[in-house]
Amino acid sequence: MGSSSSSLSAPVLPLHIKIMIACQSILTDISRRSNDTINRSFLNLFNYFVKVSPNEKPIEGIKAVDIVVDPNKNLFLRLFTPTDKTSSDRTLPVIIYFHGGGFSFCSPDFFLYDNCCRRLAKNIPAVVVSASYRLSPEYRFPTQYEDGLQSLRFLDSKISHGFPADADLSRCFLAGDSAGGNLAHHVAVQYSADINNFRELKVIGLIAIQPFFGGEERTESELRLTNVPVVSVEKTDWHWKAFLPEGCNRDHKAVNVFGPNSVDISGLSKFPVTLVVIGGFDPLQDWQRRYFEGLKRFGKEAYLVEYPKAIHIFYGFPELIESSLLINDIKKFIEKN
C-alpha cells in the first residue's frame, strides 16, 4: 500500500506548537493507566486552562451557545453561528462536527475544537454544531455512535432553543477528525440505513479529517513514522483496547471498516459523498487511504486530499499553512455539494 511522504524524516514545526503538543501529550500519557482506565480527576485539574466558555455576544463575527441534548447522558451541542452575513435571505449549510481524542479525551469546549469550529463557521460560512459524546473507557463501543446518532435526531426535531432560522438542515454535512472522523463515518452508515425516519435533516456530505481507523496488521506508515508527534502505535493500541468490547481485536468492524468483519455498505444508496483528508506525517495515513479506496470499491462517491507535510491534528493550529488549505478545501467541497 503506497504512502504519501515527505523528503524530511520528521515534521518541521514552530517551537510553540511543539511545546503545546508535548504538554498535551504528557498530560494524556500520565492520565492513561496500564489497566486501560483514565485518571479523570487528574485531567480535571487542568480544565480551567483548556476549556472555553460559550459566548452569546458575538466575538469576531461568531456567536457560540451550548444546547443540552440529554442531561442524563451529559450530552450537549456547541452551536457556532456566523453573525456577519452578506444577505439576510441567505441560508447556511450545517456542519455537525465530532471531535477527536481517541474516543477517550476532549469535548466541544476543549480550546482546540472550539477554535477549529469557529474558523469553519466563519470561513465557510456555515452553522457548525459541535457534538459531545460519552468517552471511553467508561463508555465503550457502540456508545459513541449511538450518541452521535442521537444528536442527529435531536437536530432533526428542531426543538432546540436558539437554533438559527437560517440554518438549512437539508444541506447537512457530517464532519470529524481522528476518532471523530471514525464516528462520523459510522453515524453516516446508521443515518443512511434509517434515512426514512428523518424528517428535515438531510446528510449530503461526509468530511473525514485524518480518520482514526486501524486493524491487526501493522501498515508501512505505522512502522515508518515513529518520530512524529501525537500518534504512535502504542497510543493507538491503548485507545482501541479502551474503546472496544472486552475480548475484541483491532479487526473489529468499528476499527477496520473494510476488513474481514466489516459492514457491507454497498446497498446504502444514500451514503453521503465523502471527502477524506490525509497528512504525510500521520502514521494512520495507510488506513485512511484504504478507507478512501474502500468507499470507491463499494461504489460510493469519494474524494481524497493529501497534505504531504501535515501532522496528525494539524488543523488545530491556524499558523500551519495546511490548516488554511484544509478550510479552503472543505469550503470547495461544501459549495460543490
Side-chain angles (χ1 to χ4, degrees), residues 272-290:
V273 55
T274 303
L275 177 68
V276 183
V277 178
I278 294 176
F281 282 114
D282 185 355
L284 299 173
Q285 63 183 270
D286 285 348
W287 290 113
Q288 294 155 2
R289 192 171 289 103
R290 291 184 189 186

Side-chain angles (χ1 to χ4, degrees), residues 175-186:
D177 70 281
S178 196
N182 175 302
L183 199 161
H185 164 79
H186 287 284

Side-chain angles (χ1 to χ4, degrees), residues 58-63 81-84 122:
I59 298 176
E60 297 184 0
I62 299 296
K63 178 176 71 172
T81 307
T83 56
D84 298 335
K122 184 177 181 67

